[in-house]
Amino acid sequence: MDYLAQLGVTSIWMAPIFRNRSVQMFGEGVPPKAGYHGYWILDFTEVDPHFGSKEDLQRLIERAKMSGIGIILDIVVNHTADLIQPKGGVYAYQYEFSKPYLDSSGKAFGDRDYIDKPDFPKLEADISFPAPPTFENDTDRAIKKPDWLNDPTVYHNRGEVSTGGESAQYGEISGLDDLFTEQPRVVQGMIDIYRAWIKDFAIAGFRLDTVKHVNNEFWQRFIPAIQEQATRSGRKDFFIFGEIYDPDPAFLSEFVHRANMPSVLDFGFQRAARGFANGADFTSKVG
């Protein structure tokens, strides 16, 4: 820590530290993959044992603070580890115009008409979704924490992300179970998860993963709730920044103005710097 402080480091941004599915199987004949990056989360309430314990995290935060360094956690609200499988093995994205959601009585509805509203229609796993959810085994049905994440109706269940458009927010990235963030219970559930981390640990901020894959209305509620908790916990300078993986400055600015993002990663600068470094762009583009 002293060495980092001497380099001028003021914050350490850690990849997700929550208990993660370390290995993912992709079917017969397909090599398994490792979730070394931490984005295949099973338990949002615990530190992954590969890193240590909550006590270890507490010591890290305290030691970093002694050197004037804050710890920033990378957090995920868009998805969890891949446990839900579509019945019939249909993984292609299913669009709403042809396959709308159905409530528990089988009546079609537009979910955007009920975003974050208390009267959001009740859903049934077997009838409400264009890609009805199922599990490979009973263990997978109850392995996530908090427990509400084991309910398959809190996920979009529309198949894989396609080329863009609607599927960017409703589709699954690499098969990861995509949370139905338009539902008020999902919004409140995620607020409760990350409020607890702020209450229990003197972390300095959050980096928000996959921002563009989550509806703006979610962020409009989530971010003020997190800022409020941080202030209540004595951290008025709690730093929040979002990841919108796109180099277009105009597109990035939309999330600052419409999604309540305090700040975003500057992928526009990344593109300009890379272009200058490889000789493709002029110096003026970096400026």
Side-chain angles (χ1 to χ4, degrees), residues 76-224:
V76 184
V77 303
N78 177 65
H79 57 263
T80 70
D82 178 17
L83 297 176
I84 297 173
Q85 306 301 320
K87 283 183 180 178
V90 178
Y91 292 91
Y93 187 77
Q94 308 295 305
Y95 285 88
E96 284 206 65
F97 74 88
S98 59
K99 294 189 177 180
Y101 287 113
L102 308 177
D103 64 20
S104 57
S105 65
K107 181 182 177 182
F109 72 95
D111 64 283
R112 296 198 64 78
D113 295 332
Y114 296 92
I115 288 179
D116 203 25
K117 292 182 178 179
D119 60 342
F120 196 97
K122 185 178 179 181
L123 305 174
E124 291 288 343
D126 292 334
I127 66 174
S128 295
F129 301 95
T134 188
F135 298 88
E136 289 187 352
N137 54 63
D138 288 338
T139 300
D140 286 355
R141 291 179 183 274
I143 199 171
K144 295 177 184 176
K145 290 184 180 179
D147 186 62
W148 64 268
L149 291 166
N150 292 306
D151 181 352
T153 69
V154 300
Y155 299 88
H156 281 128
N157 298 313
R158 284 199 165 273
E160 292 277 339
V161 167
S162 184
T163 54
E166 172 193 309
S167 76
Q169 289 189 359
Y170 289 80
E172 298 178 354
I173 302 171
S174 300
L176 298 169
D177 298 345
D178 196 74
L179 281 158
F180 208 148
T181 48
E182 291 77 10
Q183 292 188 34
R185 64 184 294 206
V186 174
V187 180
Q188 191 58 51
M190 282 293 163
I191 287 173
D192 292 343
I193 286 170
Y194 292 115
R195 270 179 174 168
W197 285 96
I198 295 172
K199 286 179 185 177
D200 297 342
F201 299 92
I203 50 181
F206 284 157
R207 179 267 195 185
L208 309 177
D209 181 62
T210 50
V211 166
K212 70 178 182 180
H213 297 287
V214 178
N215 56 299
N216 286 349
E217 296 86 355
F218 175 92
W219 298 119
Q220 289 165 2
R221 264 202 65 197
F222 179 84
I223 291 174

